Amino acid sequence: MNNRKTTNPIYLLSVMGILVSMALILSIVESILCPQGLLPVPGFKLGMANIAIVVSIYLLGPKPTVGIVLVRALLLWALGGNTIGLMFSLAGGLLALLSMSLLQRLPFISLWGVSIAGAAAHMTGQIVVAIFLTGNTYVVSYLSILLLTSILTGGVIAFLSAPVINALLHVPFVNKIQHDIMKNDHP
Amino acid sequence: MSELSTKQHKRDSNKLFSRLRFRWGDAVVILCVLVAAVCLGGMYIYKAHQTEDSLRVLITQDGAVLMNRSLSSFETPENLTITTEHGTLTVYLSSSEVYISSSDCDDQICVHQGSLSQAGDGAVCLPNRVVVEIISDDEATEKSVDMVAR
Amino acid sequence: MHPLACFSEKIPSKWISMVSVVLLLAFSFSSCSWPIGKQSTDTFESKTLFAMDTIILLEASGEEASYALVAAENTIRAYETMFSRTSATGDVAMINNATEENPAEISHFTYNLIYQAMELSEKTDGAFDPTLGAVSTLWGFSTASTDESITISEAEHSTETISDLRVPDDDDIAAAQETVGIEHIHMSANEDIWLDPCTILDLGGIAKGYIADLVIESMQNYDVTAIMINLGGNIRTWGAKASGDPFVIGIQDPSCSDALIGTIDLTGEGSVITSGNYERYFEEDGVRYGHIMDGETGRPVDTDLLSVSIINEEGATGDALSTALFAMGEARAVTYALENNLSVILVNEENEIHITSDLQDVFQGEENRDVRIINEAT
């Protein structure tokens, strides 16, 4: 706690800023490379923006990451005007965040497990929203395929996030933030 | 670059590299997700088979019937493109499910309404005034009607 | 320290980053091209469009089905204008504005259609009549509410078009009725046409059937094995399904919009056209006024039939005949059908279904519906 107070909050803000922009850009790139609706399952996404979320969890911990998820969802909404997308994004993102932060603490789960769980939780969150929207539970049947793909996408995200975490940690002030926040650093 | 930061870098790389090492917990996570996927998939297949024979898909535009066919008539899946004064949308029809696969309407709610496979399921594209419903046919005849003269 | 330097110096192996970039791109592009859910294995391709004020559903199967569907749409758009009363540039509009001094030069297709219409009008003793335009307009059934194309010669008549559905005065009815009759259509030697003043040509009772035939024809330039089209309720088929099963065509119940009276099996080239007042009508003071007009009275036909379906091989005749038989009423329609060997399904005011004997094997009535065969004794 004390260490957090001695760190200049500007550093934290800068890192968060970097991560939010990363999340935003990844979302946009993903929507350009791969428009929705290609697979006959609603909600199928690569989830490239999760790279930023995963990185954020490992660098900053869960609490600042909440902010990043919220800000990214709101910014995308402001840019694209897609309200339904906002709901899906928030539900999926927050649920993913929750599960990833819980699993990250466990020493017997590595980045792979965290990321896959995050992807699975993200899909689940979106399906839950879809159930509310459609008023019937038939979308649950989609969850089956989405969960299978989330194993794959989660793995890819993990693989891509590791070098990003590594790279960011070589930036001195990022490193400092990480050390300050993640007091109980674990391998 | 002092040797302190070099050591620190080494420590960090090792730590992070080790982040990517598989641990037993990862296998558990993957297994859980797999099991969940299989369970949900199994449920879905079971339900779909149960009610396949007596279901029909009813597609109307502005109240006029465009299609009223038994689901089992779609042995090979078909795509129906509907063009109205307000836009275009495509419906995917197969013997197990029907859904609106794409639409050029602004809200895209119809596309997100997902798969219809049980009696009472429906998807609506309001801008195009298209309604896609699954209805049960109690007097389910063997025949399905290709088109309706009116 | 330059961030890029740390990226290249300190990452354990450069190729991890390269591999990840390649993987990322490969993954993105490959999932973009997954064809799951797309049309690769369809037997029937479908298309719907909105034209001629109604919904049109086209289905075709075969190697070049999608091209055939495009051709079909083009055909519909082209002829829609030509035969429409309400289009300012169509042939029919030109005819309606033509005079003896200034006859309309029209396309061969239009000429054929009008010729066929006149023949059928004569054959049915006026039960089908292409010159009912003035009467339809009077009662408000014209689809042109503000279109100038049905402006009648300014010298003698008002330029107002009536868009509201309403019961007109007897005098107006009488006046409109006088303009009806194929004797008011004049053709010159080189296929130019003009009409007597105030007579308005309305091909609504035959155009859709004719266009359906033209559509089938246009689709046959492509490699297709089966065609089914539904032009606002007029069904036209061609070819055969891969399974060998017949085309199953449902017939709408005139009394119940969600139900059918039965189905009919068509094989090969066929047409099912149903006429009735159950879709276009208005009610005033509890009386229902339908859109099918009687040339002799200038009013909607007074008939004891709810719907007439003609099954034959081509659409133009089917369309005109179904309208004619509907107008004739049950007794006259039955006589005409028997005399001319038509395949007919009638639904009368009592919701009874009567069919000609040749349809016995192919028509299947809905459960609980009584189907009677028309024979000489009826």
Side-chain angles (χ1 to χ4, degrees), chain A residues 7-94:
Chain A
T7 310
N8 193 335
I10 291 187
Y11 285 133
L12 179 60
L13 213 57
S14 324
V15 177
M16 286 181 70
I18 294 175
L19 292 170
V20 171
S21 345
M22 195 158 78
L24 259 180
I25 293 176
L26 286 169
S27 286
I28 294 178
V29 167
E30 181 178 6
S31 65
I32 293 177
L33 282 179
C34 232
Q36 268 270 25
L38 237 39
L39 208 61
V41 173
F44 172 71
K45 279 166 52 146
L46 262 176
M48 275 163 59
N50 282 343
I51 295 177
I53 309 299
V54 167
V55 168
S56 170
I57 290 187
Y58 275 88
L59 289 184
L60 303 179
K63 289 197 191 135
T65 313
V66 173
I68 292 181
V69 170
L70 287 176
V71 171
R72 171 197 143 211
L74 288 171
L75 275 177
L76 270 180
W77 180 53
L79 284 176
N82 188 354
T83 312
I84 308 249
L86 174 67
M87 291 197 277
F88 279 111
S89 191
L90 279 177
L94 292 173

Side-chain angles (χ1 to χ4, degrees), chain C residues 1-62:
Chain C
M1 182 171 73
H2 186 51
L4 284 180
C6 86
F7 202 72
S8 60
E9 270 180 56
K10 301 303 175 185
I11 295 283
S13 35
K14 291 179 222 187
W15 60 265
I16 283 187
S17 30
M18 279 201 299
V19 167
S20 4
V21 171
V22 169
L23 251 185
L24 181 65
L25 285 174
F27 197 23
S28 315
F29 285 116
S30 67
S31 53
C32 280
S33 63
W34 274 342
I36 299 173
K38 296 277 172 171
Q39 288 196 22
S40 37
T41 53
D42 277 356
T43 40
F44 265 96
E45 297 211 11
S46 307
K47 179 193 266 262
T48 71
L49 51 125
F50 190 81
M52 299 187 285
D53 222 24
T54 188
I55 302 178
I56 299 172
L57 176 59
L58 307 162
E59 291 190 17
S61 71

Side-chain angles (χ1 to χ4, degrees), chain C residues 81-160:
Chain C
T81 312
M82 202 183 279
F83 304 138
S84 157
R85 255 181 75 186
T86 63
S87 152
T89 54
D91 280 353
V92 173
M94 286 197 333
I95 295 172
N96 282 327
N97 285 329
T99 57
E100 190 167 358
E101 296 80 42
N102 220 350
E105 276 174 48
I106 51 171
S107 84
H108 191 62
F109 297 102
T110 314
Y111 179 81
N112 273 345
L113 181 57
I114 295 177
Y115 192 81
Q116 254 192 308
M118 289 167 72
E119 269 192 337
L120 286 160
S121 185
E122 215 173 337
K123 235 182 143 201
T124 59
D125 260 336
F128 165 74
D129 198 315
T131 56
L132 284 165
V135 179
S136 298
T137 310
L138 188 63
W139 288 79
F141 284 107
S142 150
T143 46
S145 38
T146 53
D147 205 283
E148 285 148 25
S149 66
I150 66 166
T151 304
I152 314 163
S153 154
E154 284 168 22
E156 292 172 46
H157 301 275
S158 80
T159 56
E160 239 177 72

Side-chain angles (χ1 to χ4, degrees), chain C residues 73 82 88 90-92 108 112 115 118 129 137 179 187 228 231 239 298 302 306 310 333 340 365 370:
Chain C
E73 178 168 4
M82 202 183 279
D91 280 353
V92 173
H108 191 62
N112 273 345
Y115 192 81
M118 289 167 72
D129 198 315
T137 310
T179 71
M187 293 177 171
M228 281 190 281
L231 234 80
D302 185 12
L306 293 183
I310 300 271
N340 292 278
D370 212 1

